[in-house]
Amino acid sequence: MTPSLPLPTADGDFVRIVEVGPRDGLQNEKTLVSTADKVELIDRLSATGLLNIEATSFVSPQWVPQLADAAEVFTAIRRRPGIAYPVLVPNEKGYDRARAVGVEEVAVFTAASEAFNRKNINASIDESIERFRPVLERAAADGVKVRGYVSTVLGCPYQGDVPVADVVRVARRLHAMGCYEISLGDTIGVGTPRKAAGMLKAVAAELPVSALAVHFHDTYGQALANILACLDEGVRVVDAAVSGAGGCPYAKGASGNVASEDVVYLLHGQGMRTGVDLEALADTGRWLAARLGRETGSRVGKALAAG
Ligand code: HMG
Ligand code: MG
């Protein structure tokens, strides 16, 4: 088992990218991606300088067939010292499965919208949080870190508008129960910069901004602008998926995550550090796109290839 090193602190110009491609990127793919390709994707990402790579999900295989091979994938990857490989778990059963193969960091997930939560995990927000309680307790005893996701922070495919107060309340509860970081997800990519910054500001009024991450899907092409607005509010952890893959199968109309390559290009251009080798990341993005039989969804990946 590879021990994970402490993550760099979020100093002013360092932004930690949480690469969610192997999980969020692949979970919505209709065609089954082979276990070998999933493993190769993670191994390639491990060589790019990324510090956090969300590897897979230990959710119900009936609900997300694409990630039914979570245990095989996690067992086969070459875990490098200093890199965290969190996985999604929706309940204790997922936690058991993850721990059985040596997972050392997990992520629990709920939403600011009741309607979305019901579709995604078949539970109300309160029920989901009660399900997480034993996971958090066992994780604390096992020395396992837990990240928490709040989905639909800027809109819900079923409910429409989501009050910021609901986002704040759910984020606060996850943090209070022991999640070290709360990732605020614009699941369907409807947010715009002012709204995104306002939402972040409201959450940061209650929780330390160093415990917050942003997670934008790019459905309406606003993700980079939203990230920039949230950086201005002090956030220094950004979720992204290589090649811009992704989407949630239970969020109607949700398209890909913001592409990691595009985020890294933006950040480096702004004089910020990520520790990520952009060329190596863009190569990996194009490799993944080829495996999925399409062009890369990263503008930067395309531009560098045309180069
Ligand atoms: P349920 O059907 O209500 O579960 O699903 P249940 O507890 O009634 O159990 C039913 C069966 O599933 C049982 O098996 C359980 O053992 C089994 P049976 O007795 O019938 O043989 N089961 C499991 N099997 C394997 N692993 C497990 C597990 N749990 C139960 N962990 C459940 C409830 C939460 C399990 C289901 O709804 C689920 O797995 N949902 C996951 C949906 C999902 O993965 N969505 C995408 C991730 S979230 C996302 O993308 C958003 C994010 O990116 C941020 C953003 O963009 O906003 C994070
Ligand atoms: Mg997502």
Side-chain angles (χ1 to χ4, degrees):
M1 206 179 296
T2 314
S4 42
L5 299 177
L7 295 167
T9 51
D11 68 41
D13 68 353
F14 185 85
V15 175
R16 184 156 52 81
I17 307 288
V18 177
E19 170 58 52
V20 298
R23 192 278 303 173
D24 202 339
L26 297 186
Q27 70 185 10
N28 206 27
E29 284 298 321
K30 300 289 167 279
T31 312
L32 222 53
V33 178
S34 72
T35 304
D37 280 348
K38 290 169 182 160
V39 171
E40 182 167 352
L41 171 62
I42 297 168
D43 287 346
R44 282 172 177 261
L45 291 168
S46 291
T48 62
L50 285 160
L51 295 170
N52 295 66
I53 303 170
E54 198 171 67
T56 183
S57 269
F58 288 84
V59 293
S60 159
Q62 271 78 48
W63 284 62
V64 183
Q66 180 65 260
L67 302 183
D69 59 356
E72 289 85 340
V73 169
F74 199 85
T75 307
I77 57 174
R78 265 178 287 131
R79 282 185 278 158
R80 295 200 182 196
I83 302 181
Y85 298 93
V87 303
L88 245 57
V89 301
N91 52 21
E92 269 194 285
K93 169 132 194 187
Y95 184 79
D96 287 337
R97 290 175 57 214
R99 287 294 286 159
V101 291
V103 166
E104 290 174 276
E105 178 172 335
V106 299
V108 295
F109 53 106
T110 186
S113 134
E114 288 289 355
F116 172 74
N117 222 39
R118 186 58 68 195
K119 298 260 189 205
N120 194 39
I121 53 175
N122 200 20
S124 68
I125 296 169
D126 282 350
E127 283 164 353
S128 69
I129 286 176
E130 283 318 305
R131 275 181 196 168
F132 302 155
R133 206 168 291 286
V135 171
L136 268 293
E137 281 166 12
R138 289 176 57 190
D142 296 343
V144 167
K145 291 176 74 176
V146 186
R147 192 171 200 247
Y149 279 102
V150 184
S151 286
T152 60
V153 298
L154 295 172
C156 167
Y158 310 105
Q159 164 185 323
D161 283 345
V162 174
V164 173
D166 292 352
V167 179
V168 174
R169 195 177 58 248
V170 177
R172 209 174 38 205
R173 287 179 75 182
L174 290 178
H175 190 254
M177 68 197 289
C179 293
Y180 77 95
E181 186 167 281
I182 310 298
S183 174
L184 301 164
D186 182 10
T187 317
I188 51 170
V190 290
T192 44
R194 223 193 258 203
K195 229 179 135 187
M199 179 276 301
L200 187 80
K201 223 175 178 157
V203 181
E206 305 271 341
L207 300 179
V209 73
S210 58
L212 302 179
V214 289
H215 178 112
F216 288 106
H217 286 259
D218 204 26
T219 320
Y220 286 82
Q222 305 296 303
L224 286 179
N226 291 341
I227 289 169
L228 209 46
C230 291
L231 288 169
D232 283 347
E233 296 301 330
V235 85
R236 289 294 180 271
V237 186
V238 177
D239 297 359
V242 70
S243 192
C248 173
Y250 298 100
K252 206 165 28 118
S255 72
N257 288 81
V258 66
S260 311
E261 302 91 311
D262 298 4
V263 175
V264 169
Y265 181 87
L266 168 76
L267 293 168
H268 292 181
Q270 294 292 102
M272 304 186 100
R273 296 178 297 114
T274 63
V276 176
D277 175 341
L278 180 57
E279 292 282 350
L281 187 64
D283 273 352
T284 302
R286 289 188 299 267
W287 172 86
L288 174 62
R291 301 307 295 171
L292 298 177
R294 66 172 79 114
E295 267 203 335
T296 177
S298 160
R299 302 285 289 267
V300 168
K302 272 185 216 158
L304 289 176

